[in-house]
Amino acid sequence: MKRTSVLALAVLTLAAGAAPAAAAPDSRAMSGPGQVCFWTEPGQHGQAWCYAPPGYAEAENGTQRHAASFESRAGQTVYAISYTVSNCLYREIRPDDYDENWVWANKLDGVSDNTMGCERG
């Protein structure tokens, strides 16, 4: 009887590990004080990734080159960075700035607290 219970527990554990991961929350609550958050879908839905200054960070969680919306709760201006074949471009994001359907959706590579020598884009 004990052997059957252990086997059943092992099967349940394996099945739980094989279950698909839960989707990231798609609410505005993701964006905390001091952060700029980006979402993969318009209206701040889908997968989310947040940046907090200082420095530079590559976009993650599906938002790189696919950031359809954003919200800034950072207390300073930050810069969305896009790398091109020959240079890089930046887009200024001011405190409390947001966009529900961002035109830069297919350009975001990362975010920095400075323009990194890029051209305005």
Side-chain angles (χ1 to χ4, degrees):
M1 180 107 172
K2 186 175 181 181
R3 186 174 190 193
T4 304
S5 298
V6 171
L7 181 58
L9 180 60
V11 168
L12 287 173
T13 302
L14 286 173
D26 63 359
S27 79
R28 295 179 74 143
M30 281 292 296
S31 181
Q35 296 181 327
V36 179
C37 293
F38 300 85
W39 288 266
T40 57
E41 302 297 328
Q44 299 167 339
H45 294 284
Q47 297 293 321
W49 172 73
C50 297
Y51 163 84
Y56 171 80
E58 288 284 316
E60 298 175 0
N61 202 23
T63 58
Q64 189 170 50
R65 298 282 170 149
H66 194 81
S69 55
F70 75 89
E71 178 183 28
S72 176
R73 291 190 183 174
Q76 69 184 71
T77 297
V78 298
Y79 303 89
I81 304 294
S82 176
Y83 295 103
T84 65
V85 173
S86 60
N87 63 359
C88 60
L89 305 172
Y90 75 85
R91 193 272 192 189
E92 183 177 22
I93 299 175
R94 297 180 191 98
D96 300 318
D97 198 3
Y98 70 95
D99 196 320
E100 300 277 333
N101 197 14
W102 198 27
V103 297
W104 245 56
N106 64 350
K107 293 182 182 179
L108 180 73
D109 285 312
V111 182
S112 180
D113 60 352
N114 65 74
T115 64
M116 298 181 55
C118 300
E119 299 175 15
R120 181 180 296 270

